[in-house]
């Protein structure tokens, strides 16, 4: 399947090597062709979203389908960004919530992950076991008491109700603990012998080593926080505090009908930051997902 | 004389490699303190509170003074509530089809993307992108595409000679299958990426050995590839079972559990009881029941894979 195996099989059957090379090439390109056709069909809904975001409402549903809009309706974006339900405000709210909670999570998770992996203190394993055993509790079960809590302390309908629970995640703690366990300890031993404090060992030696993992966690959490719909739905009631996913629903009217061009322009706008981050940091993102899947 | 002994003793201790001796207990606690605080405030205490609320008839309107413990009443009511059972069944159907379906397609796609096809990186990105788009943006696109009257998909079906295409999201029959299709579409690339990573971390020597033993491609897949992917499959199975059985955003946005109650799964039923009817005790009871269901299934899956993997 992979290159090295093909090489082995070619060598082991030397006589048929020259004969089998041609069909193998054909097979390779046939597979590529099938995959590419499948991929184009697969991504078509999102291409259609982009195309429709630049159409007048009456052009969105014309048959046969037009992939290149004409006339191009840039006004959709102007309306979505500056109109009644301004995406500008939703964007600001989302940016604030996402950046503060993700930054907080990176700090608390790396500190705790480091302690759970490399420091020993009484109760460490018991605490970590309690952490892990809450991993499959449904988020909805936690949402009811959190809602009550925020209402009692007067933070209901504020961005704090979204930020505070995001400052700590089991996912981040677990990911960084796994990373630190797999990190060699020699440098730290040397630093400790030279009289470095635990904080210095963590801050100067281990945290820089964890940079790729922190980047990966940051991206995964950015996507998760940016796309979260359930928490704002429960915690916010005021349109001016809405984050992007909740703001998007404003482009659907009461009967479920919607102004198609505007809805698509809003959707494209909501996806763009995520898409840019993903395309730039694709490798770290995939590496982090792979890391969680393999450990 | 005594001075010398006192001075030399700590030096001996310091050279000892056992790290546990040297690190004071308090430092570890300081490191986890911020995280632990958040864990207590936003996970553990809410969890305990959630469990307690399930035994009350509390609703937010009557305030904290009106908390009545009602014992097992909520659970007794649940057991006699037909809508609870149909939502549980629907959740099982929804996750029971979307999870294996997504994983199977993801595995096939992963195998294809692991071979050296031209444009592999671009293909991988294309299949992965739906996974990073928010459920609401995805819901918006499919809401338009699946429109019963003038949605492009039904227009195409009509063009192909289907005289009365399904109503998709507004149909009692097609609502849940439509949601399964959408969620599968958005998750396939994620599974494929995880499978590709697992395939690439597989030691090639295993395959070479099987090849030398004269195993054909299918025998090699069955004896080597599939069995080394076992831990990955279990990981995906358990995590996706958890996320799909809690799936909320798409359903809440696209169908609100309807038409009728045809797409009311447990997560939506719980939301409806809690945040629309303010029956928080009942909602918490639903949450506990669905948690127990997922817990049992997850344990069964872990047990099943144990001893069947090729390594680890």
């Amino acid at each position: 399947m992979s290159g090295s195996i093909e090489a082995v099989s070619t060598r082991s059957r030397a006589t048929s090597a020259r004969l089998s090379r041609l069909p193998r090439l054909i097979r390779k390109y046939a597979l590529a062709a099938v995959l590419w056709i499948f991929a184009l069909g697969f991504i078509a809904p999102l291409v259609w979203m982009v195309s429709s975001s630049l159409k007048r409402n009456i052009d969105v549903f014309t048959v046969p389908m037009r992939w290149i809009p004409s006339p191009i309706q840039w006004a959709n974006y102007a309306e979505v960004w500056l109109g009644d339900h301004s995406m500008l405000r939703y964007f600001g709210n989302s940016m604030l919530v996402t950046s503060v909670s993700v930054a907080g999570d990176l700090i608390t998770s790396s500190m705790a992950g480091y302690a759970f992996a490399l420091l020993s203190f009484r109760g460490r394993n018991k605490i970590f076991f309690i952490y892990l055993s809450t991993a499959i509790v449904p988020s909805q079960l936690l949402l009811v008491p959190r809602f009550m809590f925020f209402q009692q302390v007067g933070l209901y309908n504020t961005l704090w109700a979204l930020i505070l629970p995001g400052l700590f995640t089991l996912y981040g703690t677990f990911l960084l603990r796994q990373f630190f366990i797999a990190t060699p300890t020699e440098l730290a031993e040397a630093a400790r012998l030279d009289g470095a404090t635990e904080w210095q060992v963590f801050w100067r030696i281990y945290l820089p080593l964890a940079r790729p993992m922190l980047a990966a966690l940051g991206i995964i959490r950015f996507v998760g926080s940016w796309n979260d719909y359930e928490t704002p739905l429960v915690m916010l009631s005021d349109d001016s505090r809405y984050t992007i996913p909740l703001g998007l629903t404003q482009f659907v009217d009461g009967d479920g009908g919607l102004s198609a061009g505007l809805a698509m322009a809003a959707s494209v706008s909501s996806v763009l930051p995520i898409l840019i981050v993903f395309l730039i940091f694709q490798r770290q993102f995939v590496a982090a997902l792979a890391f969680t899947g393999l450990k | 004389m005594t001075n010398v002994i006192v001075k030399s003793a700590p030096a001996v201790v310091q050279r000892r490699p056992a790290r546990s001796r040297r690190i004071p207990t308090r430092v570890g606690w300081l490191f986890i303190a911020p995280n632990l605080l958040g864990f207590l405030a936003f996970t553990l205490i809410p969890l305990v509170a959630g469990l307690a609320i399930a035994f009350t008839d509390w609703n937010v309107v009557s305030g904290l003074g009106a908390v009545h413990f009602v014992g097992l009443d909520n659970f007794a009511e649940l057991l006699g509530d037909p809508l609870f059972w149909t939502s549980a069944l629907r959740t099982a159907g929804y996750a029971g089809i979307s999870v294996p379906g997504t994983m199977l397609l993801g595995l096939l796609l992963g195998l294809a993307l692991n071979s050296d096809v031209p444009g592999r990186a671009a293909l991988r990105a294309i299949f992965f992108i739906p996974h990073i788009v928010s459920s609401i943006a995805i819901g918006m696109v499919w809401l338009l595409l699946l429109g019963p009257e003038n949605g492009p998909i039904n227009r195409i079906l009509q063009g192909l000679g289907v005289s009365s295409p399904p109503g998709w999201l507004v149909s009692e029959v097609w609502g849940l299958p439509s949601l399964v299709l959408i969620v599968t579409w958005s998750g396939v690339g994620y599974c494929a990426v995880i499978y590709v990573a697992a395939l690439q971390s597989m030691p090639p020597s295993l395959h070479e050995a099987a090849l030398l033993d004269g195993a054909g491609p299918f025998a090699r897949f069955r004896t080597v590839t599939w069995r080394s992917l076992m831990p990955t499959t279990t990981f995906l199975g358990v995590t996706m079972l958890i996320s799909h059985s809690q799936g909320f955003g798409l359903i809440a946005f696209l169908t609100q559990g309807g038409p009728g109650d045809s797409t009311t799964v447990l997560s939506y039923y719980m939301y409806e009881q809690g945040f629309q009817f303010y029956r928080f005790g009942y909602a918490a009871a639903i949450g506990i029941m669905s948690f127990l269901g997922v817990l049992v299934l997850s344990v069964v899956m872990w047990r099943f894979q144990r001893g069947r993997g090729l390594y680890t």
Side-chain angles (χ1 to χ4, degrees):
Chain A
M1 224 156 284
S2 75
S4 63
I5 293 149
E6 274 169 27
V8 169
S9 74
T10 327
R11 245 180 282 128
S12 67
R13 292 177 232 155
T15 45
S16 61
R18 224 165 290 160
L19 282 175
S20 65
R21 187 164 295 149
L22 191 63
R24 189 161 287 146
L25 261 181
I26 292 174
R27 254 200 327 212
K28 179 174 142 184
Y29 282 100
L31 177 65
V34 170
L35 270 176
W36 272 103
I37 291 168
F38 186 52
L40 291 181
F42 193 85
I43 204 71
L46 296 181
V47 177
W48 186 79
M49 169 170 94
V50 176
S51 158
S52 303
S53 74
L54 292 168
K55 286 176 184 170
R56 295 176 300 181
N57 283 328
I58 51 162
D59 294 336
V60 171
F61 297 108
T62 50
V63 179
M65 224 183 259
R66 268 231 195 118
W67 291 95
I68 311 280
S70 100
I72 291 185
Q73 196 70 6
W74 294 109
N76 287 345
Y77 282 90
E79 167 72 26
V80 157
W81 278 89
L82 307 167
D84 287 343
H85 300 293
S86 168
M87 285 286 280
L88 210 56
R89 198 190 298 136
Y90 305 144
F91 240 76
N93 292 337
S94 274
M95 273 296 173
L96 184 68
V97 169
T98 299
S99 54
V100 175
S101 59
V102 171
D105 187 31
L106 287 180
I107 295 168
T108 61
S109 290
S110 57
M111 283 171 64
Y114 176 75
F116 280 128
L118 297 171
L119 302 179
S120 62
F121 51 92
R122 205 181 306 155
R124 179 182 79 164
N125 294 338
K126 272 182 203 142
I127 296 174
F128 192 68
F129 179 76
I130 296 173
Y131 265 61
L132 275 193
S133 58
T134 63
I136 65 167
V137 173
S139 56
Q140 284 100 6
L141 188 56
L142 300 179
L143 217 46
V144 171
R146 280 182 192 172
F147 169 79
M148 293 170 169
F149 170 76
F150 284 121
Q151 226 179 24
Q152 294 300 320
V153 298
L155 291 176
Y156 169 76
N157 195 26
T158 69
L159 294 181
W160 287 112
L162 311 187
I163 291 172
L164 289 176
L167 292 174
F168 328 85
T169 62
L170 187 62
Y171 181 77
T173 311
F174 184 71
L175 198 67
L176 281 155
R177 174 184 176 267
Q178 298 302 90
F179 176 83
F180 283 129
I181 281 179
T183 314
T185 55
E186 284 81 2
L187 275 173
E189 300 290 343
R192 287 198 191 103
L193 285 181
D194 286 346
T197 65
E198 274 315 311
W199 177 258
Q200 285 168 330
V201 172
F202 166 70
W203 189 254
R204 299 245 177 91
I205 296 172
Y206 277 90
L207 212 55
L209 284 176
R211 213 176 281 152
M213 210 67 227
L214 291 173
L217 175 63
I219 299 159
I220 290 177
R221 288 275 291 112
F222 179 82
V223 173
S225 170
W226 188 267
N227 288 340
D228 183 22
Y229 169 64
E230 195 170 3
T231 318
L233 180 69
V234 168
M235 301 295 178
L236 302 178
S237 62
D238 199 343
D239 177 79
S240 69
R241 304 223 166 86
Y242 281 1
T243 50
I244 294 269
L246 209 48
L248 277 186
T249 64
Q250 298 288 305
F251 293 93
V252 185
D253 62 37
D255 332 315
L258 64 160
S259 165
L262 289 185
M264 291 298 94
S267 298
V268 172
S269 306
S270 81
V271 174
L272 271 184
I274 294 282
L275 198 63
I276 291 168
V277 167
F278 170 67
L279 291 178
I280 294 175
F281 296 105
Q282 221 189 108
R283 281 181 50 209
Q284 284 91 329
F285 196 93
V286 168
L289 289 179
F291 188 81
T292 55
L294 297 174
K295 289 287 152 174
Chain B
M1 202 60 197
T2 41
N3 273 347
V4 175
I5 292 167
V6 168
K7 265 184 189 166
S8 66
V12 172
V13 172
Q14 260 177 13
R15 239 176 275 128
R16 212 182 268 179
R19 234 179 315 148
S20 50
R21 280 287 168 79
R22 247 183 296 115
I23 296 157
T25 308
R26 236 180 300 148
V27 176
W29 276 94
L30 287 178
F31 270 86
I32 67 162
N35 194 293
L36 189 63
L37 217 66
F39 175 75
L40 290 176
F42 298 110
T43 302
L44 197 63
I45 292 172
L47 176 62
V48 174
L51 296 177
I53 290 164
F55 297 95
T56 70
D57 62 357
W58 201 69
N59 63 58
V60 77
V61 185
S62 46
L64 273 178
V67 178
H68 294 128
F69 274 90
V70 294
L72 289 170
D73 280 10
N74 286 324
F75 293 93
E77 192 186 335
L78 263 187
L79 296 183
D81 176 357
L83 197 50
F84 167 71
W85 290 108
T86 48
S87 337
L89 216 61
R90 257 184 231 120
T91 310
Y94 176 79
I97 293 171
S98 66
V99 172
T102 312
M103 285 171 63
L104 182 66
L105 289 173
L107 175 62
L108 292 174
L109 195 60
L111 288 168
L113 290 176
N114 191 47
S115 64
D116 91 285
V117 287
R120 191 168 64 169
L123 281 169
R124 212 158 63 172
I126 287 177
F127 285 108
F128 195 77
I129 283 172
H131 179 68
I132 56 166
V133 176
S134 78
S135 51
I136 305 306
I138 278 178
M140 293 267 229
V141 182
W142 286 100
L143 192 63
L144 293 175
L145 284 173
L146 293 174
E149 300 293 326
N150 54 4
I153 287 179
N154 275 358
R155 289 289 188 87
I156 292 170
L157 286 176
Q158 279 164 342
L160 293 172
V162 181
S163 55
S164 54
W168 302 114
L169 294 162
V170 296
S171 141
E172 295 217 3
V173 180
W174 284 96
L176 206 59
S178 306
L179 291 167
V180 168
L181 281 178
I182 298 171
V183 83
T184 303
W185 170 76
S186 73
V188 162
Y190 166 73
C191 285
V193 160
I194 300 274
Y195 271 125
V196 167
L199 286 167
Q200 285 176 354
S201 73
M202 222 166 80
S205 55
L206 290 174
H207 260 288
E208 286 159 13
L211 208 59
L212 289 176
D213 287 346
F218 285 102
R220 282 206 307 272
F221 176 79
R222 203 167 44 80
T223 56
V224 180
T225 314
W226 175 243
R227 286 182 60 205
S228 8
L229 289 179
M230 209 60 174
T232 308
T233 302
T234 312
F235 166 80
L236 281 175
V238 171
T239 52
M240 287 182 60
L241 176 74
I242 294 167
S243 71
H244 283 217
S245 59
Q246 293 175 25
F248 177 81
L250 264 183
I251 295 170
F253 175 66
L254 283 176
T255 64
Q256 288 94 49
D261 58 47
S262 64
T263 58
T264 300
V265 293
L266 280 180
S267 60
Y268 190 79
Y269 190 44
M270 182 183 169
Y271 168 80
E272 201 174 50
Q273 290 294 323
F275 295 101
Q276 292 185 339
F277 304 149
Y278 298 113
R279 299 189 63 201
F280 286 106
Y282 201 57
I286 298 170
I288 289 171
M289 295 299 275
S290 89
F291 166 67
L292 289 178
V294 173
L295 182 69
V296 168
L297 280 175
S298 306
V299 170
V300 168
M301 280 164 85
W302 278 116
R303 280 280 156 82
F304 179 77
Q305 80 109 29
R306 205 196 282 164
R308 281 169 206 256
L310 203 51
Y311 50 88
T312 66

